[in-house]
Amino acid sequence: MDWLRLLIAVAGGLLIVWLLLLAVLWRTRPDGLTVRDGLRLLPDVVRLVRRLAADRSLPRRLRIRLWVLLAYLLSPVDLVPDVVPVLGYADDVVVVAWALRSVVRGAGDEALARHWPGEPAGLAVVLRLAGLTPGTTGSAARD
């Protein structure tokens, strides 16, 4: 029965982490972001990552990081299997947020604005998650 308590504790902990992630995402959204814009954000982010990875004006280390991110997203191997309801995609969200945060800080918001395929409200969310405000530039020095 100790394994059952452990299982319940782990599931409860994962639920709390997931709820905190949702709260952070909700809090960082701009005022003009609608549910429809939020649903459209994921495909826009995937297109953004692909476009940034192909941009030869960005430093090589950033482009490599983006290609690794794309490979991870396309790979059937995940930290948490996608068949686990809700939590299966949480690991993807965390990995994407971490990678985009480091790339956006290195590339600057001009590169994001140039490659962003979606609505301005979606770009504002990506910038806020990356810890940038419009007009902030990263260190896009070449390798």
Side-chain angles (χ1 to χ4, degrees):
M1 285 310 219
D2 286 335
W3 63 270
L4 183 58
R5 286 187 197 144
L6 178 64
L7 183 63
I8 291 171
V10 169
L14 289 174
L15 179 63
I16 289 171
V17 168
W18 180 73
L19 290 173
L20 286 172
L21 176 65
L22 284 179
V24 166
L25 290 174
W26 182 257
R27 182 162 165 77
T28 59
R29 73 174 173 76
D31 294 332
L33 185 68
T34 64
V35 173
R36 181 178 176 190
D37 292 334
L39 291 174
R40 290 187 51 200
L41 190 61
L42 182 61
D44 290 341
V45 167
V46 171
R47 284 194 299 268
L48 172 70
V49 168
R50 188 195 58 75
R51 289 176 181 181
L52 285 170
D55 185 353
R56 296 239 179 235
S57 69
L58 295 180
R60 183 184 343 224
R61 63 182 163 75
L62 296 179
R63 292 193 326 259
I64 289 171
R65 200 172 298 156
L66 288 164
W67 285 113
V68 169
L69 174 62
L70 283 173
Y72 173 78
L73 291 174
L74 295 175
S75 168
V77 178
D78 278 343
L79 298 174
V80 178
D82 289 340
V83 296
V84 177
V86 180
L87 296 176
Y89 295 103
D91 66 323
D92 294 341
V93 170
V94 170
V95 170
V96 167
W98 173 78
L100 275 182
R101 186 177 183 106
S102 69
V103 168
V104 167
R105 287 185 172 189
D109 62 345
E110 293 89 11
L112 259 74
R114 188 171 61 245
H115 293 291
W116 182 251
E119 299 293 321
L123 178 58
V125 170
V126 173
L127 289 173
R128 286 179 74 182
L129 288 175
L132 290 175
T133 56
T136 306
T137 58
S139 57
R142 292 207 178 253
D143 285 350

